[in-house]
Amino acid sequence: MRKNPFNMLKLGVVGCALLVGVSGAVLPLTGIASAETSGQVTAVPISASVQIKDEVLTSQTTYLKTNIKVPQLSGMLDPIYQAQMNDIILSHANKDLANWEKEAADAAADAKANGFTYRPYDLTINYVLKSDGTSNPAGVVSLQITTYAATGGTGMPRVDTYNVLNRVEGQRVTLQDLLGNKFKETVNAGIQAKINEKPENYFKDEFKGISEEQGFYVENGEAVVLFPKYAIAPGSTGTPEFRFSLPENLTIAAKPLVSTPLKNMKLDLISSDSVTNTQGVNLVPFRKVAEGLGYEVKWNQETYSAEVKKGAQWTSVTVGNDHYFFAKMAPVTLGAAPVIQNDTLYVPLKFVTDILHADVKTGDAGAIQIEQKE
C-alpha cells in the first residue's frame, strides 16, 4: 500500500512534551499486553476527582466557523501545576484559532480576487476526560483534546494527550511510570504483534518502535498508545490505538523535586550568529538563544515547530508562521516568520524582547548582549 500524500492542514499532528505529554490519534484499533509494574510507594493524599469547565473561544471573522471548547481543570491538589497546565492548554487553542483566522482570511481574499465563491473554513476543538483520578491507577488524570480544521474537504485531526498525577506536588505521568523500565520493549512487542495479525491494515515496515514522547492516555485500567492518522496506517484504517493492561492497584512513585536557584541569565552573540532578511529584520538563532537563557528546547520535525519551556514559562514557534505568543497572551506578529537557514532555526530579535521578555543591547560590529532577569 502507498501512503496517502495528504498534507493540507498546517495543524498536522504534534508530538511533544513539557509539563504533560502531547501526541495524536483518534479511532480505536486495540491490542492487549501485560505490563511490568513500576515502583510501589506509601499512599499519599489524592483528591477524589478533578473537575473541568469549558472555556469557549469564538472567531472574530466571518471567514471561519468555530466550535471550540477548551478544557480548564479545577480541583487539583497542586494549584500551581494546575494553573501551568491550564495555561498551556489555552495557549495551544488560542494559537490555533489565530493561525486559522489568518488562513481563512487569506483564502477569502484569494477567492474574491479570482472570482470564486468562498466557503468558510471550520475549526473544532473538543475534549474527553479519559480518567479523573479516581480509578486505577489512583490519582492519574488523563485528558484527550482533539483539534480538527477543515477547508472544505477532508481534514486531519490533531490529538493532544495530557497525563498528570494529582498530588500535593503534581507531576507528569509517563509510560515508564505505568509500564516499568522496560516499557519500550513491552509496547513495541505488543504493537508489532497486533500489526502482524492484520498486516494489510498497516503500511509495510513503517512501524519502527515508539518514540521517547509517544502519545498515550489512561482509561479503565489500561494505557492506550496512540499514533497519528497516516503515521503507520492508511486513512481507511483510522488512527490506531493499542491497549496495554495495567496491574491492579498500581501506585506511581513520586519523582524527586529538582530545585533550581533563581539567577540572571546572560548571553553574548557575535555578528556571525545573526542574519538579516530581505526586509531588513534582524534574526537570531532560536536554539542558541533559548538554551543560553536556560530554556529547554524541543523540535518537532513533522510540524516544523519548536517549543521552549522554563518552569511555568512556555511558548512555541512554527517555521513560516509570523504568529508568536507567551502563556495566556494573544498571538502577535513580529514582522518576520521563523526561518531555517543552513540547518539553523532563526527568529526575529523582537522575539527575545517581546515574547521572552529579555533585555537586549546591541554593540559594535553587530554584537548582541541578551540578559533575562529571573
Side-chain angles (χ1 to χ4, degrees):
M1 288 179 287
R2 187 170 65 88
K3 275 194 177 183
N4 189 320
F6 181 89
N7 189 27
M8 64 179 291
L9 296 182
K10 289 186 178 179
L11 278 177
V13 179
V14 175
C16 58
L18 297 169
L19 288 173
V20 289
V22 183
S23 76
V26 182
L27 302 178
L29 180 62
T30 62
I32 304 295
S34 61
E36 173 192 352
T37 62
S38 57
Q40 303 291 315
V41 296
T42 304
V44 296
I46 296 175
S47 68
S49 66
V50 299
Q51 297 80 43
I52 293 182
K53 69 174 183 178
D54 296 345
E55 180 86 16
V56 178
L57 303 182
T58 57
S59 175
Q60 301 303 310
T61 173
T62 58
Y63 304 130
L64 180 68
K65 296 180 180 179
T66 58
N67 180 16
I68 302 175
K69 295 181 180 179
V70 184
Q72 296 288 274
L73 281 73
S74 64
M76 290 187 66
L77 294 174
D78 187 340
I80 295 177
Y81 194 99
Q82 175 181 281
Q84 294 172 357
M85 183 173 173
N86 284 338
D87 281 352
I88 289 175
I89 293 172
L90 188 57
S91 294
H92 269 300
N94 275 317
K95 186 177 182 182
D96 287 335
L97 176 58
N99 288 344
W100 280 98
E101 283 183 330
K102 183 178 185 304
E103 291 287 327
D106 290 347
D110 183 66
K112 182 177 180 180
N114 291 279
F116 301 139
T117 299
Y118 174 75
R119 292 179 175 82
Y121 286 2
D122 292 281
L123 177 63
T124 299
I125 301 177
N126 51 40
Y127 65 89
V128 178
L129 182 62
K130 295 292 187 177
S131 176
D132 65 1
T134 60
S135 57
N136 182 45
V140 173
V141 176
S142 191
L143 179 66
Q144 175 180 291
I145 303 175
T146 302
T147 302
Y148 181 88
T151 61
T154 302
M156 178 183 288
R158 187 189 77 222
V159 178
D160 299 333
T161 57
Y162 298 79
N163 302 286
V164 298
L165 189 60
N166 185 21
R167 289 183 177 165
V168 174
E169 294 173 343
Q171 67 184 50
R172 177 187 169 208
V173 174
T174 66
L175 282 174
Q176 183 173 353
D177 294 328
L178 300 172
L179 301 175
N181 293 332
K182 296 183 178 180
F183 73 97
K184 281 191 175 181
E185 292 90 333
T186 299
V187 173
N188 287 341
I191 292 175
Q192 191 62 60
K194 296 304 295 184
I195 291 175
N196 292 342
E197 289 180 8
K198 294 185 177 180
E200 67 276 9
N201 290 341
Y202 301 89
F203 296 132
K204 184 179 180 181
D205 301 326
E206 191 63 32
F207 175 65
K208 306 295 184 183
I210 61 172
S211 66
E212 290 294 331
E213 299 297 345
Q214 183 67 46
F216 72 95
Y217 62 82
V218 176
E219 183 180 47
N220 299 327
E222 295 178 317
V224 185
V225 176
L226 308 172
F227 285 87
K229 192 174 183 179
Y230 300 110
I232 63 172
S236 58
T237 300
T239 47
E241 296 186 353
F242 300 86
R243 293 181 175 268
F244 295 82
S245 297
L246 301 176
E248 293 185 7
N249 302 317
L250 174 63
T251 303
I252 297 176
K255 297 180 177 68
L257 294 178
V258 179
S259 178
T260 303
L262 296 178
K263 60 180 180 179
N264 292 349
M265 305 295 293
K266 294 183 179 181
L267 175 67
D268 291 318
L269 301 179
I270 59 177
S271 59
S272 60
D273 288 325
S274 61
V275 298
T276 302
N277 68 11
T278 55
Q279 287 75 42
V281 178
N282 196 9
L283 307 173
V284 294
F286 178 81
R287 181 179 290 275
K288 184 171 185 176
V289 169
E291 291 183 343
L293 296 178
Y295 289 87
E296 175 188 350
V297 178
K298 187 173 292 293
W299 169 254
N300 187 299
Q301 183 65 29
E302 292 185 10
T303 59
Y304 264 53
S305 62
E307 302 201 13
V308 294
K309 172 185 175 290
K310 180 168 63 173
Q313 302 175 7
W314 172 84
T315 189
S316 69
V317 300
T318 302
V319 173
N321 195 338
D322 184 13
H323 278 81
Y324 303 86
F325 71 98
F326 191 83
K328 288 185 176 181
M329 68 178 285
V332 297
T333 60
L334 299 179
V339 297
I340 294 179
Q341 294 185 18
N342 299 321
D343 296 325
T344 299
L345 175 63
Y346 289 90
V347 293
L349 183 59
K350 288 187 67 176
F351 174 83
V352 180
T353 57
D354 294 12
I355 304 301
L356 299 185
H357 303 295
D359 296 326
V360 171
K361 295 180 180 179
T362 56
D364 297 333
I368 300 173
Q369 184 180 77
I370 302 172
E371 180 177 5
Q372 188 173 54
K373 298 179 180 179
E374 300 288 351

